[in-house]
């Protein structure tokens, strides 16, 4: 009888832990996404600095413009809020970023980025951050801070994603008054950077509790599927590997395919988590 009672209590505790696992998983996925988006916003600045260092005549006079500067500053503040543990402020900031990107699209302000790309990035961050707060309030779960190992891996991931933008100017060669760039080394740097970013993302996820880890993997896989599929229609890559996306003239189709891909990955991942945890009970 005592053993049966202990088993029931352990099962109840496990069920309670699993019920409160989606919120922290969404917070972790949203945090990693925010760090990656910040790195994406910093890439043009890194690339311009590298060009200026190697070839002063190739330095850009206008790097990201006023809109890009506002984006970069906003994401710096949002990530700083996450580091400080101000998740509510960060979620509000992500929501404000979505509204700001909608305003940019609605007003038709000239922007260097492809239409809708930065809106998609803001949504990818806002949905999990806001969702984690809603789940925590609904289920009455505590919002524990993310572990230090998570933040160390996230910082390394962000640095890799941003510094890889210096790949093209670093491998460029001068031939008289002409500066030539070989696409093969740039592609290798891009793929290598993607691999390192994925590795550090995995290290960050491994720092989380098991129940949270499984759900974070599912969410990050859905985000990866969304962004990877969207790249088929936009040339705003995190890494410079696609010179001309196959659906560049059909971005709406790329977004539709991306939504389908993310939904499929999320559904299958959720079912796999439920099946695994149901079998372990």
């Amino acid at each position: 009888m005592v053993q049966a009672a202990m088993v029931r209590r352990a099962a109840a505790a496990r069920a309670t832990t699993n019920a409160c696992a989606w919120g922290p998983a969404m917070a972790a996925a949203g945090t990693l996404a925010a760090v990656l988006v910040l790195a994406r916003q910093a890439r043009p600045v890194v690339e311009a600095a590298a060009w200026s260092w190697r070839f002063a005549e190739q330095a850009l006079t206008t790097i990201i413009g006023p809109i890009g500067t506002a984006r970069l500053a906003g994401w710096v503040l949002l990530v700083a809020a996450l580091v400080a543990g101000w998740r509510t402020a960060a979620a509000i900031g992500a929501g404000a970023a979505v509204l700001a990107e909608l305003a940019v699209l609605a007003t038709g302000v000239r922007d260097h980025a492809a239409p809708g790309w930065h809106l998609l990035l803001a949504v990818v961050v806002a949905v999990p951050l806001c969702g984690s707060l809603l789940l925590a309030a609904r289920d009455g779960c505590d919002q524990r801070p993310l572990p230090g190992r998570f933040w160390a891996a996230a910082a390394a991931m962000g640095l890799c994603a941003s510094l890889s933008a210096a790949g093209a100017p670093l491998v460029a060669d001068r031939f008289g008054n002409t500066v030539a760039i070989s696409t093969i080394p740039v592609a290798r740097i891009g793929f290598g950077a993607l691999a390192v970013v994925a590795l550090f993302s995995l290290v960050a996820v491994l720092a989380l509790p098991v129940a949270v880890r499984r759900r974070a993997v599912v969410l990050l896989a859905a985000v990866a599927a969304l962004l990877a599929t969207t790249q088929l229609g936009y040339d705003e890559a995190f890494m410079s590997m696609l010179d001309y996306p196959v659906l560049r003239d059909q971005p709406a189709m790329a977004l539709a395919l991306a939504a389908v891909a993310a939904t499929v990955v999320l559904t299958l991942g959720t079912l796999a988590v439920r099946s695994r945890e149901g079998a372990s009970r």
Side-chain angles (χ1 to χ4, degrees):
M1 291 179 62
V2 173
Q3 183 178 3
M6 292 177 63
V7 170
R8 286 196 299 270
R9 180 171 295 182
R14 189 183 302 114
T16 301
T17 300
N18 292 341
C20 292
W22 277 111
M26 295 183 77
T31 298
L32 287 176
V35 173
L36 191 58
V37 172
L38 172 58
R40 169 62 186 82
Q41 304 298 347
R43 283 176 60 80
V45 179
V46 172
E47 183 178 11
W51 278 117
S52 179
W53 173 60
R54 287 214 62 199
F55 309 100
E57 70 278 8
Q58 297 294 326
L60 300 176
T61 55
T62 301
I63 300 176
I64 54 179
I67 295 179
T69 301
R71 285 190 179 117
L72 179 57
W75 286 105
V76 167
L77 292 176
L78 191 149
V79 172
L82 288 171
V83 173
W86 302 338
R87 292 186 184 176
T88 302
I92 294 174
V98 172
L99 295 178
E101 296 297 343
L102 284 173
V104 170
L105 286 177
T107 56
V109 178
R110 290 190 59 185
D111 188 11
H112 296 290
W117 173 248
H118 287 281
L119 173 61
L120 177 66
L121 296 181
V123 170
V124 166
V125 176
V127 169
L129 289 183
C130 295
S132 67
L133 294 179
L134 293 175
L135 287 179
R138 187 195 68 180
D139 300 331
C141 302
D142 296 333
Q143 297 188 50
R144 297 182 179 180
L146 295 169
R149 288 180 299 168
F150 177 93
W151 280 111
M157 178 199 71
L159 285 174
C160 176
S162 59
L163 293 180
S164 64
L170 289 180
V171 300
D173 293 317
R174 186 196 301 272
F175 299 95
N177 295 325
T178 304
V179 175
I181 303 175
S182 177
T183 57
I184 295 178
V186 173
R188 289 175 178 172
I189 291 173
F191 280 114
L194 277 178
V196 175
V197 165
L199 176 62
F200 280 121
S201 299
L202 178 61
V203 172
V205 169
L206 289 176
L208 303 172
V210 176
V212 178
R213 182 189 310 164
R214 293 170 181 166
R215 290 159 174 78
V217 168
V218 171
L219 293 171
L220 290 176
V223 170
L226 178 71
L227 294 180
T229 310
T230 306
Q231 294 287 193
L232 297 176
Y234 289 88
D235 57 357
E236 296 293 317
F238 282 90
M239 314 300 169
S240 301
M241 292 178 294
L242 294 176
D243 292 332
Y244 195 91
V246 295
L247 295 176
R248 185 172 182 175
D249 297 329
Q250 298 173 303
M253 180 179 294
L255 287 174
L257 290 175
V260 172
T263 302
V264 170
V265 171
L266 183 60
T267 301
L268 293 178
T270 302
L271 292 176
V273 170
R274 290 180 178 177
S275 176
R276 181 180 179 84
E277 292 180 348
S280 63
R281 290 178 182 177

